[in-house]
Amino acid sequence: MPLDTAALQVFQAAARSGSVSKAAQLLNYAQSNVTTKIKQLEKELGAPLFYRHNRGITLTSAGKTLLEYADKALRLLEEARKAVQDASTPTGPLSIGSMETTAAVRLPHLLADFHRMCPEVDLSFVTGPSQQLIQAVLDYSLDGAFVMGPVEHPELLQDSVFEEELVLVTDALHPHLDFPKELTGRTVLVFRSGCSYRAKLLGWLQEEGVMPVKVMEFGTLETIIGCVAAGLGVSLLPESIVCSKTKESLVRSFPIPERYGRVQTVFIRRKDAYLTQAYKVFLHEIKHRFFVPHGPGQPS
C-alpha cells in the first residue's frame, strides 16, 4: 500500500520537533490526529518509529531510516508542484542568505531592483556566518547564499561574484602599525563563530604569533564598526565597508598580507535544486551585475 503523504508530513513534523504536541501545533492538527497518523504508519511498516518517554519522542533506527526517505519524497513532491505551477511571470517564494558585510554594501540595489522587477515573488533574506549559510543551503532551508569562497562540496554549485580586500580596522587615533606584533594584547572584535572573516583574522594573528587579550563577539556590522571607532578593539573587515568611515576619519585601516587579505565572495546553490522563474531571474541579475570570470574547475 502506498504511504499516505499527509502521514509522512505528520511523521516528519513529529521527528523534527521531538514532540507530538509540537507537531500538532505546527500542522494545526488535533494532537489525537497526529498520534493516529503515526500509529497508522507504524502498523503499515511493521516497525516502531519512535521511543515514547516523558520528555517527548525520539526516533528509533527504523524512524531514522524513514525520515531520510520522507525528506526526499516530500522535497520531490514540492519540486513537482513548483514545476507544474511555475509560470512565465515570476511568483512564489525565494529564500536567499548572505554574509552581513556583503548584504550591507553589495546587495541593497540588487534586492531593490529585483523586488521592482518581480513584485509577486515572496523574497526572504537572512544574514549569517558563511558556515551557517552553507549548511542552510545544503539543508534546503535557503535557495542560495552569498558566502566566502571557494566552497568545495559535491552537492553545491558556486559562481564567483566579486572579490574583497580585507583590511585591519582600528580607531582613528591609532598610531601607524609597522608590525603585527604591535597588536599583542589587543581586543579583537568579530562576528560569531562560523564567520569566515573571523577565521581569517585569528589565523593571521596566530601565524604572526600575536595573542589577543580577548575575542569579543558581536551580532551586527554597525556595532563592530562603532566599537572599533570608540577604541574598544580592532577588527578585520572588507575595505568596501570601511572606506567611507576612513574618509570621515571615524576609523583607520591597514593592509594585511594578500593571502589573508584577498578573498572571494561566491553565490552557492544546490545542484539538484529546481530553478523557478523567480530564481532564474535572480541568478541572471547576479551574473549581470557582479560576474567575475571563474577559474579552472569552477562552475559557471
Side-chain angles (χ1 to χ4, degrees):
M1 178 183 296
L3 294 179
D4 180 11
T5 301
L8 286 179
Q9 290 173 328
V10 168
F11 164 74
Q12 185 188 57
R16 295 294 184 206
S17 64
S19 165
V20 170
S21 60
K22 288 181 181 178
Q25 291 174 358
L26 288 170
L27 299 171
N28 198 25
Y29 279 15
Q31 189 169 327
S32 58
N33 288 346
V34 172
T35 301
T36 299
K37 288 286 188 183
I38 291 173
K39 287 182 177 179
Q40 287 175 347
L41 267 180
E42 290 178 323
K43 183 177 180 181
E44 288 181 23
L45 295 171
L49 300 175
F50 293 102
Y51 297 112
R52 278 81 170 173
H53 47 75
N54 56 11
R55 298 185 307 277
I57 53 177
T58 304
L59 286 169
T60 64
S61 58
K64 292 177 182 178
T65 299
L66 179 61
L67 180 60
E68 181 179 348
Y69 284 98
D71 286 344
K72 292 178 181 178
L74 294 173
R75 191 161 54 242
L76 284 172
L77 286 172
E78 176 61 17
E79 287 190 8
R81 183 192 65 78
K82 289 180 179 179
V84 171
Q85 295 180 349
D86 200 16
S88 57
T89 301
T91 59
L94 182 63
S95 301
I96 301 296
S98 172
M99 298 180 290
E100 180 154 345
T101 50
T102 300
V105 172
R106 304 285 190 174
L107 301 183
H109 289 296
L110 167 67
L111 297 177
D113 289 347
F114 178 78
H115 179 65
R116 283 192 289 268
M117 293 169 59
C118 306
E120 296 183 31
V121 174
D122 181 16
L123 177 65
S124 60
F125 187 81
V126 299
T127 59
S130 286
Q131 291 181 11
Q132 176 183 314
L133 296 171
I134 292 169
Q135 191 57 53
V137 173
L138 287 170
D139 291 343
Y140 298 91
S141 300
L142 290 174
D143 294 311
F146 295 89
V147 301
M148 195 175 86
V151 177
E152 304 297 338
H153 194 285
E155 296 177 27
L156 297 176
L157 295 172
Q158 64 172 326
D159 280 294
S160 299
V161 285
F162 42 78
E163 291 183 340
E164 296 282 12
E165 179 184 354
L166 301 183
V167 292
L168 186 74
V169 188
T170 70
D171 63 273
L173 299 179
H174 196 285
H176 184 78
L177 280 171
D178 293 313
F179 303 100
K181 290 191 182 298
E182 294 173 25
L183 295 172
T184 299
R186 297 296 305 275
T187 298
V188 296
L189 314 182
V190 295
F191 290 107
R192 60 187 180 273
S193 181
C195 171
S196 301
Y197 298 158
R198 170 182 176 153
K200 285 277 187 180
L201 174 57
L202 297 181
W204 174 54
L205 293 179
Q206 182 178 24
E207 182 182 276
E208 296 291 343
V210 175
M211 295 296 294
V213 66
K214 184 183 291 185
V215 176
M216 297 184 66
E217 293 187 2
F218 294 88
T220 67
L221 175 63
E222 292 79 7
T223 306
I224 289 180
I225 293 178
C227 289
V228 169
L232 180 60
V234 302
S235 189
L236 189 70
L237 295 170
E239 197 276 336
S240 60
I241 290 283
V242 299
C243 62
S244 63
K245 305 297 182 182
T246 56
K247 290 178 181 177
E248 296 171 15
S249 298
L250 297 175
V251 298
R252 192 173 183 186
S253 66
F254 301 90
I256 67 171
E258 186 171 341
R259 64 183 178 279
Y260 287 104
R262 184 70 63 177
V263 297
Q264 191 176 77
T265 299
V266 300
F267 183 78
I268 60 169
R269 56 188 171 91
R270 287 196 61 96
K271 290 180 179 179
D272 61 356
Y274 174 73
L275 297 184
T276 62
Q277 288 298 322
Y279 205 170
K280 290 176 182 177
V281 172
F282 191 79
L283 290 173
H284 177 270
E285 287 302 301
I286 291 173
K287 294 183 179 182
H288 174 69
R289 294 166 183 265
F290 302 127
F291 179 71
V292 174
H294 55 82
Q298 287 186 300
S300 59

